[in-house]
Each structure stands twice: as C-alpha cells, then as structure tokens.
C-alpha cells in the first residue's frame, strides 16, 4: 500500500525533529499502521537550510501554499507557530481537504473552536 504523503510547514527545531523521527521509525510505523508515513514536501523560508536537513528525496519550497495545493499531500503538519500566518495556513489546508497536525498551542487556544468546526464541516481531522 502506498505511504501517506505528508507536507511539513516549517523545519526549525520541532520540524527537523519530527522529520527525523518519522524517517528513523518508518519500519515500525508501517508495521503498526499497515502503511508508511512519508514527508515528501517541506515548506520553509530558508529553503537551502531545509534542503540540507531533508536531503535530495524531499521537495523543498519557500511557499507553504504550494504544499497545501499539492493534491498528493494528504496530511499537513504545521510547525510555524504564532497566531497569524499559521492559523491562515491551517484553515487553508482544512479548506483544501487536508488533515492537519499542529504543535501550535497558541493558535489552538485562540482559534481552536473555529479550526475544529472548519475541520468537522470539511470532514477532516485536526490533531495536536
């Protein structure tokens, strides 16, 4: 079965840790879930640094909306933080029918009701 394709928004400390954990545990993930989970696209403003972290097998872009618009991406992981653009991107990902995972406690505290209602209405999940 084809692996779930994931897009990662932000590859700072938490993003690079998330990437490395998913890479390192691929076999265990496949065994437990019956399907792999692969980060195939990363958005970060520092594309050169991001490409160094993820290597040649992952597409790196400077615009997070490219990840959201990619029809192959099933899950968007938002690790940008803050209230502004992160909330906007989460809402756009939901509107595009993507499941969302976020570590953004601030945005969930302020906009959680709106985010979870949008996800419910679209039939996608938001995990944190």
């Amino acid at each position: 079965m084809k692996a779930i394709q994931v897009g990662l928004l932000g590859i700072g400390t938490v993003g690079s840790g998330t990437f490395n954990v998913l890479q390192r545990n691929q076999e265990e993930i496949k065994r437990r879930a019956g399907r792999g989970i692969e980060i195939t696209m990363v958005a970060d403003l520092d594309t050169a640094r991001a490409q160094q972290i993820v290597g040649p097998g992952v597409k790196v872009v400077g615009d997070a909306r490219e990840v959201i618009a990619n029809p192959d991406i099933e899950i968007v992981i938002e690790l940008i933080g803050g209230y502004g653009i992160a909330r906007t991107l989460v809402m756009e990902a939901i509107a595009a029918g993507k499941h969302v995972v976020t570590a953004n406690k601030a945005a969930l505290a302020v906009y959680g009701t709106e985010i979870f209602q949008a996800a419910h209405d679209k039939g996608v999940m938001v995990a944190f």
Side-chain angles (χ1 to χ4, degrees):
M1 182 174 271
K2 184 179 172 188
I4 297 169
Q5 293 190 35
V6 176
L8 183 62
L9 310 183
I11 192 146
T13 302
V14 175
S16 60
T18 300
F19 179 82
N20 290 329
V21 165
L22 285 173
Q23 292 293 98
R24 185 173 56 242
N25 295 306
Q26 272 301 304
E27 291 306 313
E28 184 66 13
I29 291 167
K30 286 178 192 172
R31 186 183 71 72
R32 288 185 180 191
R35 191 172 172 196
I37 298 173
E38 296 177 0
I39 295 175
T40 57
M41 196 170 185
V42 170
D44 197 273
L45 294 176
D46 188 345
T47 57
R49 183 181 152 281
Q51 197 69 69
Q52 282 184 315
I53 292 168
V54 301
V58 177
K59 182 175 182 178
V60 174
V61 297
D63 183 353
R65 288 181 170 98
E66 288 185 52
V67 174
I68 293 168
N70 183 331
D72 296 327
I73 299 294
E74 298 174 60
I75 300 172
V76 172
I77 302 176
E78 181 277 310
L79 298 173
I80 296 169
Y83 301 104
I85 191 65
R87 175 203 161 269
T88 300
L89 294 171
V90 165
M91 295 300 286
E92 288 177 13
I94 291 168
K98 313 289 184 182
H99 301 289
V100 174
V101 177
T102 183
N104 194 331
K105 296 180 293 274
L108 289 177
V110 175
Y111 300 109
T113 302
E114 174 188 6
I115 289 169
F116 287 109
Q117 185 62 55
H120 174 77
D121 293 346
K122 193 68 177 181
V124 298
M125 294 183 292
V126 174
F128 52 94

